[in-house]
Structures are given as structure tokens and as C-alpha cells.
């Protein structure tokens, strides 16, 4: 078995699920109610185009929220910031078709997931913990959002389209058309999403209207089945009102260009060679006047700020198979990161002087070189090993200080994992243990807290993390669980205008269980918990999410489907007032627990057509997530824009969705 890094195939062969009359073909859309399943150790893979309940926001973060261990910092209807086990920002890698993507806003108004339109992608994969060095070296988790080549064998056309409509003027459409033959293809994808101000359970309207659209073109040449040369072009635009911010995101523009060359099955030993060059650029404007009318008392603020972020680089990788039991991957990456900004004062705005009158000013740039090696080896038919090491050189330069500040780091990252298929209490299962070491240099948001050496030269963050867990599948039962412990020296905490380093410890885990009690009926449950401590100051670790669980009952006979979903979150009183991570440092209040019930129903009149609908937050609960942007304001009456404590989640929401593919 060459592809031994993931154990799902071995587990399926060891404990196959029995067929049921109600089992649906793999080509049919599954309505994901509780969460996507963990099918391999610490790996979750899902189709972002499958309908979900509760219906997610129209950005990438909303799709991650359904996965145990994830939370999302709500900032409005869209542009949520994802957090895995309490870790976000540069502690969580987000890769778009293999290329890194970052936002531009120094206040995280545009996290990378705000530029991701899930319906335009084919696969979303989450790697929990430091268990691979292929995708990066400084993160404690990775999110891979990818498109796959259409795979034509003869001349043909493939199409996929969906539309969603719901409460608060929610309106989403996606069209994906591909045409080609065995020698190549052209794929065009277009998306649109918009929504109005939503209401929370109290009936209060939150300043949260938005619109977004994107276009993608993929041109591929496949001279033989093992060769792919692909050029991809992305363009997206949008704007969003922000109830938990002092400004609104009046421009959210992104352009992307990627050139990929891949060759497989070159020799019995040389399995694959891959090279990719990419260009990602985001251009973001925030202001106080375009989308809100009450901005009196803001005399000390800028009227508008424009920031842009350029990310360009090259990635190369080689896969070797010296024997049937071993796969080796080696690669070299380079990335250039450049950030600039300009602002318009309130006086200039009132005088009619536009934002374009001010030249852009570079603030911080990064140049990152890295090389890595990763190996997966089958010890036997039931035992596997995986290990990897990445060496990274990071050079950061601050351009808006005098003299310029320079900082160079050499970072080491590595992991080792052991997997074993064996019976546990008579049930066939896969057990695994993973140990990782991660070193992370301070990122743009942490270095940019001040223009001084103090935050620019923060210490390197170093984490040792252990993950252990199990997966099993037998008869109508399926389950998975992971426990982790992480110790971090020089953990970076930020506050308004400053940052510091501490020693921190976190532990917790996630669990999921499914039981199919009738051919078309199943019940699913999930649980996630993270506990964090600031060891240096004997305090709770700031912005650690509370205990969370969910349970769902699902029905699917191939033609009709439906489900009920209950999500429950406990209160969180372990806070560190004034401190946090880069997502939100002003969120200092204790949070209340809540429980939310949602329901969905669907119909497949044809194999290619799926119609679904539902109601989320059936009892119109008023609640907010623990890690959420605050709406606290000190410069005037902006009560119509926020709830003065946290950005509440939407109240009762009705929705319907249709999708067709051929």
C-alpha cells in the first residue's frame, strides 16, 4: 500500500460497513447536519458544495464551524475568522488550491476565509494538529480548500449549479461549467451572494448587509493521463457592513493567478513531480461613511483606510516510492509577502479630498524560504509510521520606521505519527499517536501592534503537542475521538497597542459517534473541549472556547431526507480581560451558555437534482459565541450598529436550496 499516510482505506477494508436498502449512491449530495466525518487520523474531508444544516454563512469560515474543535469569530453576516482549538490567525494555515492566502486588514476585518467562496471548490480538508510539513511549518492546523480537474476521457460537458434563498434577503447562486476532452479542459465558475441586515432572537436588527461575487477560469492541458499543466485565474469583489467594528468593509477585492505543472508515474521510484507558481493580491478599504449614517463623535479617527497585501511565491515537490511500503516527499517553497496602507483623515473627507490623494506606504514585508521532507511507511498490513521535518528561514522588514527594522529567524518544525489497526474491546479500530514540534515567528498582525522594536522583535513561539486517538467502524456504529496536550513557550498574546509572550498549556479533544439504527435512520453526536492556561501569570489563557456538543437525528432513503440538529454550548467564565489573539482583543466578558435547535427536509426527484430547506434557531434564541467581535463603542451612539456586548447570532432563519449537476 503506497498511500499509507491516511488509514481510511485500511480501516474500511478491515471493518466494512454492511449495505442497507436505504444507502444512497456516492454521487448523491449528503446533507451534513452534525459534522463532516473524520475518516483518517486527525483528517476531516468534505465536499463544500453539499447542503448543510444549519445553513452556513456565505464564506469559508461558516463551513468550518460545523467541524468539532472549530469556532468562528462572528463580525457580521460574513467574514468570520476561524479558530481551531482556540488557535487562529497564523496558527491556522489556510491554503487555496495549495497557495497561502492572507487578509490585509490590521484589525482582521478580512480574514483569508472572507475571500473564499465554498461553492466554487470541490474539496475541503482539515488537518488537526502538527501532523504534516508539506503544507507549511508554523501552524497547529491546516485547512486545504481545493478544486479538482474535471477528468474528461472523451469530449463532453459537465455542469453544476446551485441557488440558496433565505431570511434576511439571503441570496446565493453558483454556476460551474466545464468542457473538454482527454487532452484538456476549460472550466468557468461564477458565484454571487448577498444579504440584508439580519435580526437576532430579540428582534434587534444588526448592521450586517453584504454582497459578494467571484469568477474563476481554469485552463488545463493533459497531453497524457499522468500530466497536468493548469492555469487558474480568480477574481472576487465584495463589501460588508460590520456590526462589531468601528468601520465597515466597503471593498473586499482579490485577484489570484496560479500556474501548476504536475507529472505522475515517471518511473517506478519517481512517483510525482509538481511545481506551482502563484500570485495572490487583496485590496481592502474600510470607512465610516459609506454604509453607516451615524458616525458623529469620531473626530479622532480616520474616515477611511485602504490596505493591500501581496503574496507571491513558488512551490515545488517530488514524491518517491522506493518500495511498495514507503512514500517520500521532498519540497522547497519560497513566499514573498508585502503589506502597504494609506488613510484618509476625517478633515480630508469633509473637505472632499479622496482616499486616492494619499500615496500608499509599505509597512512590513516578509521573505520566507523553506525546505522539507516527509515520509510515510507501512510497517505491516496493520501498522504505519509517518514523520516529517521542515526548516524555514524568515526575514521580516519594517519599512515605515526610521531606520528600517530587520529581523531574521530560522525555524524548525517536525512531527512523528504511529498508526495501528487492532481490535479494542472486540471492536476493530485504528489507534494513532502524533507528536509534533512547531516554531512560529510573529506574524504581521502581532508585529504591527506598534511601530517599535518591542513588538516587531517578539520571541519565536515554540509548541510541543501530542495527539492520541482512535477511529472505529463496525456494523451500524462509527466513531472517532482525539485527545491533545500542547505546551507553548513564548506564546504571543496581544492587547490594544501592545503584545507580550508567556508560557501556555492547552489540552482537550473532540469526539464523534454515529449509530444507524434503521436502514434510513441514524443518530449522530459530537463533543469538543479545550482548556487553556497562562502558566506565566497563573491565569486562564485568553479566548479559549467553552465546552460544546451537538446531536442530530437524520433520515435519508435516497429520495427523501431530513433531520433535526441540536447544538449546545456551555458558559465560559475563564477569561483574561483585555488580552487575546489577533482576532479580537476587546472581547472581555463572560459568556452565557445556549442551546439551538434546527431542522431540515429535502427531496431528490432525480439523481442529479437535490432540493433542501430548513429552519435554523427554531425557538428564536438570543445568543452569541464566546469568541466574537464586541460592539462596544466609546465615540457616540451607535446602538443601531451593535448589541453593545457581542455580535449576536441570527434569530429564526428560514432557507431553501436547490442544486443540479450533470
Amino acid at each position: 500500500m503506497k498511500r499509507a499516510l491516511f488509514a481510511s482505506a485500511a480501516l474500511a477494508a478491515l471493518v466494512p460497513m454492511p449495505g442497507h436498502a436505504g444507502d444512497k449512491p456516492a454521487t448523491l449530495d449528503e446533507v451534513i447536519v452534525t459534522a463532516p466525518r473524520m475518516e483518517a487520523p486527525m483528517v476531516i474531508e468534505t465536499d463544500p458544495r453539499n447542503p448543510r444544516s444549519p445553513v452556513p454563512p456565505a464564506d469559508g469560515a461558516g463551513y468550518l464551524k460545523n467541524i468539532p474543535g472549530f469556532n468562528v469569530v462572528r463580525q457580521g453576516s460574513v467574514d468570520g475568522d476561524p479558530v481551531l482549538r482556540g488557535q487562529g490567525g497564523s496558527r491556522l494555515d489556510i491554503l487555496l488550491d495549495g497557495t497561502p492566502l492572507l487578509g490585509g486588514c490590521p484589525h482582521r476585518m478580512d480574514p483569508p476565509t472572507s475571500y473564499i467562496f465554498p461553492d466554487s471548490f470541490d474539496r475541503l480538508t482539515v488537518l488537526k494538529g502538527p501532523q504534516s510539513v508539506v503544507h507549511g511549518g508554523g501552524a497547529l492546523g491546516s485547512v486545504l480548500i481545493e478544486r479538482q480537474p474535471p477528468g474528461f476521457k472523451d469530449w463532453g460537458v459537465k455542469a453544476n449549479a446551485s441557488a440558496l434563498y433565505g431570511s434576511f434577503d439571503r441570496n446565493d447562486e453558483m454556476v460551474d461549467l466545464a468542457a473538454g476532452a482527454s487532452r484538456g479542459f476549460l472550466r468557468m465558475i461564477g458565484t454571487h451572494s448577498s444579504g440584508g441586515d439580519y435580526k437576532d432572537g430579540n428582534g434587534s436588527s444588526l448592521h450586517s448587509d453584504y454582497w459578494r461575487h467571484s469568477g474563476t477560469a481554469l485552463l488545463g492541458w493533459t497531453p497524457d493521463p499522468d500530466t497536468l499543466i493548469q492555469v487558474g485565474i480568480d477574481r472576487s469583489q465584495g463589501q460588508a457592513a460590520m456590526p462589531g467594528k468601528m468601520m465597515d468593509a466597503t471593498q473586499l477585492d482579490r485577484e489570484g493567478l496560479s500556474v501548476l505543472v504536475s507529472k505522475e508515474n515517471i518511473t517506478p521510484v519517481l512517483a510525482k513531480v509538481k511545481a506551482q507558481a502563484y500570485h495572490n493580491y487583496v485590496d481592502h478599504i474600510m470607512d465610516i461613511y459609506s454604509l453607516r449614517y451615524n458616525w458623529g463623535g469620531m473626530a479622532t479617527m480616520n474616515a477611511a483606510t485602504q490596505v493591500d497585501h501581496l503574496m507571491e511565491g513558488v512551490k515545488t515537490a517530488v514524491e518517491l516510492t522506493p518500495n511498495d511500503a514507503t512514500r517520500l516527499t521532498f519540497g522547497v517553497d519560497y513566499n514573498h509577502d508585502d503589506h502597504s496602507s494609506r488613510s484618509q483623515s476625517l478633515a480630508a473627507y469633509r473637505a472632499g479630498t479622496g482616499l486616492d490623494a494619499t500615496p500608499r506606504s509599505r509597512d512590513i514585508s516578509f521573505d520566507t524560504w523553506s525546505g522539507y521532507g516527509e515520509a510515510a511507511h507501512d510497517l505491516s498490513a496493520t501498522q504505519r509510521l509517518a514523520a516529517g521535518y521542515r526548516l524555514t528561514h524568515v526575514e521580516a522588514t519594517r519599512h515605515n520606521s526610521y531606520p528600517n527594522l530587520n529581523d531574521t529567524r530560522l525555524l524548525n518544525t517536525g512531527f512523528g505519527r504511529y498508526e495501528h489497526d487492532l481490535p479494542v474491546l472486540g471492536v476493530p479500530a485504528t489507534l494513532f499517536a502524533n507528536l509534533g514540534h512547531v516554531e512560529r515567528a510573529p506574524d504581521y498582525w502581532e508585529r504591527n501592534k506598534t511601530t517599535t522594536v518591542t513588538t516587531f522583535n517578539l520571541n519565536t513561539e515554540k509548541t510541543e503537542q501530542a495527539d492520541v486517538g482512535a477511529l472505529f467502524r463496525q456494523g451500524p456504529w462509527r466513531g472517532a475521538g482525539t485527545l491533545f496536550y500542547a505546551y507553548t513557550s513564548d506564546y504571543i498574546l496581544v492587547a490594544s497597542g501592545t503584545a507580550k509572550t508567556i508560557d501556555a498549556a492547552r489540552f482537550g479533544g473532540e469526539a464523534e459517534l454515529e449509530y444507524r439504527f434503521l436502514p434510513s435512520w441514524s443518530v449522530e453526536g459530537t463533543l469538543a473541549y479545550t482548556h487553556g492556561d497562562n502558566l506565566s501569570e497563573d491565569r486562564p489563557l485568553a479566548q479559549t472556547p467553552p465546552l460544546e456538543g451537538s446531536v442530530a437525528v437524520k433520515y435519508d432513503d435516497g429520495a427523501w431526507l431530513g433531520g433535526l440538529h441540536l447544538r449546545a454550548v456551555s458558559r465560559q467564565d475563564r477569561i483574561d480581560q483585555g488580552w487575546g489573539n489577533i482576532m479580537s482583543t476587546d472581547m472581555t466578558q463572560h459568556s452565557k451558555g445556549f442551546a439551538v435547535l434546527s431542522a431540515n427536509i429535502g427531496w431528490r426527484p432525480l439523481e442529479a437534482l437535490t432540493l433542501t430547506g430548513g429552519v435554523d434557531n427554531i425557538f428564536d434564541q438570543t445568543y452569541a459565541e464566546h469568541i466574537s467581535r464586541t460592539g462596544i463603542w466609546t465615540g457616540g451612539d451607535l446602538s443601531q450598529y451593535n448589541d453593545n456586548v457581542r455580535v449576536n447570532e441570527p434569530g429564526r432563519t428560514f432557507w431553501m436550496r436547490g442544486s443540479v449537476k450533470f
Side-chain angles (χ1 to χ4, degrees):
M1 298 182 343
K2 292 182 178 180
R3 301 186 182 274
L5 183 59
F6 302 136
S8 56
L11 181 61
L14 182 67
V15 282
M17 284 283 285
H20 291 287
D23 285 350
K24 54 187 180 298
T27 56
L28 297 183
D29 291 340
E30 176 194 14
V31 177
I32 298 174
V33 178
T34 312
R37 301 180 181 93
M38 184 167 74
E39 299 287 359
M42 301 189 298
V43 177
I44 294 173
E45 187 175 304
T46 183
D47 184 346
R49 294 183 169 184
N50 282 354
R52 278 160 168 73
S53 177
V55 62
D59 62 7
Y63 281 71
L64 295 172
K65 189 175 180 178
N66 280 36
I67 298 174
F70 271 95
N71 299 87
V72 172
V73 181
R74 179 175 284 278
Q75 306 189 89
S77 293
V78 291
D79 301 342
D81 214 342
V83 178
L84 174 61
R85 295 171 171 175
Q87 308 300 294
S90 60
R91 298 183 181 111
L92 179 65
D93 276 339
I94 308 288
L95 286 89
L96 218 60
D97 280 328
T99 68
L101 180 64
L102 298 169
C105 181
H107 304 293
R108 298 290 290 187
M109 190 177 285
D110 69 330
T113 46
S114 64
Y115 297 101
I116 294 173
F117 298 74
D119 272 358
S120 66
F121 291 86
D122 303 315
R123 183 170 63 189
L124 187 153
T125 304
V126 172
L127 307 179
K128 291 186 177 182
Q131 62 149 326
S132 177
V133 295
V134 171
H135 310 292
L140 299 173
S142 300
V143 179
L144 316 177
I145 305 175
E146 302 166 299
R147 302 181 181 99
Q148 303 298 310
F152 290 101
K153 295 183 179 179
D154 297 301
W155 284 101
V157 176
K158 296 181 180 181
N160 192 334
S162 66
L164 185 149
Y165 304 98
S167 301
F168 318 121
D169 298 323
R170 176 76 180 270
N171 183 332
D172 294 6
E173 294 87 27
M174 183 279 298
V175 176
D176 180 359
L177 298 174
S182 61
R183 294 300 182 92
F185 61 88
L186 174 63
R187 184 178 181 186
M188 308 288 289
I189 308 171
T191 72
H192 164 83
S193 180
S194 61
D197 293 347
Y198 71 81
K199 294 183 179 181
D200 64 14
N202 288 324
S204 300
S205 181
L206 280 81
H207 174 66
S208 54
D209 63 293
Y210 72 96
W211 62 263
R212 302 151 49 87
H213 55 251
S214 73
T216 299
L218 299 172
L219 179 63
W221 180 40
T222 52
D224 59 68
D226 295 320
T227 304
L228 171 65
I229 301 174
Q230 178 179 282
V231 177
I233 301 173
D234 285 293
R235 184 78 170 92
S236 67
Q237 296 178 310
Q239 71 175 27
M242 297 285 183
K245 300 277 191 178
M246 300 179 185
M247 293 176 145
D248 296 309
T250 52
Q251 178 175 295
L252 293 162
D253 289 0
R254 172 187 173 251
E255 63 183 34
L257 174 64
S258 174
V259 180
L260 172 67
V261 179
S262 175
K263 178 73 174 178
E264 298 186 51
N265 301 318
I266 302 168
T267 72
V269 174
L270 185 56
K272 185 175 183 179
V273 175
K274 181 178 178 181
Q276 185 175 24
Y278 61 89
H279 161 92
N280 279 317
Y281 176 74
V282 300
D283 194 1
H284 166 52
I285 297 176
M286 61 196 107
D287 69 43
I288 64 174
Y289 50 77
S290 296
L291 300 180
R292 59 181 69 188
Y293 60 87
N294 184 354
W295 40 273
M298 297 187 182
T300 60
M301 284 186 61
N302 288 321
T305 298
Q306 184 173 17
V307 293
D308 64 353
H309 202 159
L310 173 67
M311 296 143 282
E312 294 180 325
V314 178
K315 303 178 68 175
T316 61
V318 176
E319 292 184 10
L320 305 175
T321 52
N323 54 60
D324 287 343
T326 306
R327 177 173 293 272
L328 306 174
T329 305
F330 300 96
V332 177
D333 300 343
Y334 168 72
N335 181 72
H336 174 71
D337 228 314
D338 215 323
H339 196 281
S340 67
S341 64
R342 61 183 172 192
S343 296
Q344 174 192 33
S345 69
L346 192 57
Y349 168 73
R350 287 170 170 162
T353 304
L355 182 61
D356 292 343
T358 304
R360 297 180 189 263
S361 174
R362 294 176 75 193
D363 44 26
I364 300 179
S365 65
F366 297 84
D367 286 286
T368 305
W369 299 263
S370 60
Y372 65 87
E374 186 166 302
H377 178 68
D378 292 345
L379 297 172
S380 67
T382 59
Q383 298 181 74
R384 295 167 294 279
L385 285 176
Y389 170 75
R390 178 183 281 255
L391 179 65
T392 303
H393 178 276
V394 180
E395 182 178 353
T397 304
R398 177 178 283 284
H399 302 276
N400 57 351
S401 61
Y402 185 80
N404 287 353
L405 300 176
N406 288 92
D407 177 62
T408 301
R409 309 284 174 99
L410 199 62
L411 309 175
N412 299 278
T413 296
F415 80 97
R417 184 173 64 257
Y418 173 71
E419 303 172 13
H420 194 171
D421 304 330
L422 77 169
V424 177
L425 299 178
V427 177
T430 293
L431 305 182
F432 59 89
N434 189 88
L435 182 63
H437 171 82
V438 175
E439 295 182 0
R440 184 183 71 89
D443 60 27
Y444 165 79
W445 292 268
E446 293 158 341
R447 294 182 190 263
N448 202 42
K449 278 299 173 182
T450 68
T451 58
T452 66
V453 176
T454 306
T455 56
F456 185 77
N457 286 336
L458 287 164
N459 291 342
T460 296
E461 190 176 274
K462 299 171 285 294
T463 299
E464 281 75 41
Q465 180 168 320
D467 291 81
V468 297
L471 302 90
F472 76 91
R473 182 181 296 176
Q474 185 179 46
W477 292 92
R478 185 200 62 82
T482 303
L483 298 174
F484 76 93
Y485 176 84
Y487 173 81
T488 304
S489 57
D490 292 313
Y491 186 96
I492 300 174
L493 283 176
V494 300
S496 180
T498 188
K500 65 182 179 182
T501 58
I502 61 164
D503 291 341
R506 296 177 298 114
F507 64 84
E510 300 86 37
E512 56 188 78
L513 184 65
E514 176 184 350
Y515 174 58
R516 182 173 293 184
F517 57 92
L518 288 173
S520 300
W521 288 90
S522 64
V523 59
E524 305 173 4
T526 68
L527 195 66
Y529 177 68
T530 298
H531 179 98
D533 289 310
N534 176 340
L535 301 177
S536 298
E537 300 169 339
D538 194 23
R539 299 176 183 173
L541 185 63
Q543 295 186 334
T544 299
L547 174 67
E548 176 176 334
S550 68
V551 63
V553 178
K554 294 174 60 176
Y555 176 83
D556 191 343
D557 65 7
W560 292 94
L561 58 147
L564 282 172
H565 173 250
L566 176 67
R567 175 175 177 245
V569 179
S570 69
R571 64 175 285 112
Q572 178 62 290
D573 52 14
R574 302 189 76 254
I575 65 171
D576 186 5
Q577 189 168 8
W579 291 93
N581 50 47
I582 63 174
M583 278 75 69
S584 172
T585 60
D586 50 2
M587 208 289 302
T588 59
Q589 305 296 318
H590 296 188
S591 61
K592 299 179 180 179
F594 59 85
V596 179
L597 183 67
S598 303
N600 71 88
I601 190 170
W603 179 44
R604 298 189 190 95
L606 302 170
E607 182 174 319
L609 177 64
T610 302
L611 304 173
T612 55
V615 53
D616 301 342
N617 193 357
I618 292 174
F619 296 109
D620 210 16
Q621 296 291 308
T622 302
Y623 70 102
E625 304 290 347
H626 175 68
I627 308 178
S628 175
R629 294 301 308 191
T630 63
I632 296 174
W633 178 248
T634 59
D637 180 15
L638 288 182
S639 59
Q640 67 269 43
Y641 298 133
N642 56 63
D643 63 358
N644 290 326
V645 178
R646 284 183 175 85
V647 177
N648 280 343
E649 297 292 304
R652 186 183 297 115
T653 303
F654 296 91
W655 58 272
M656 57 183 179
R657 183 183 189 272
S659 63
V660 60
K661 62 179 67 175
F662 63 87

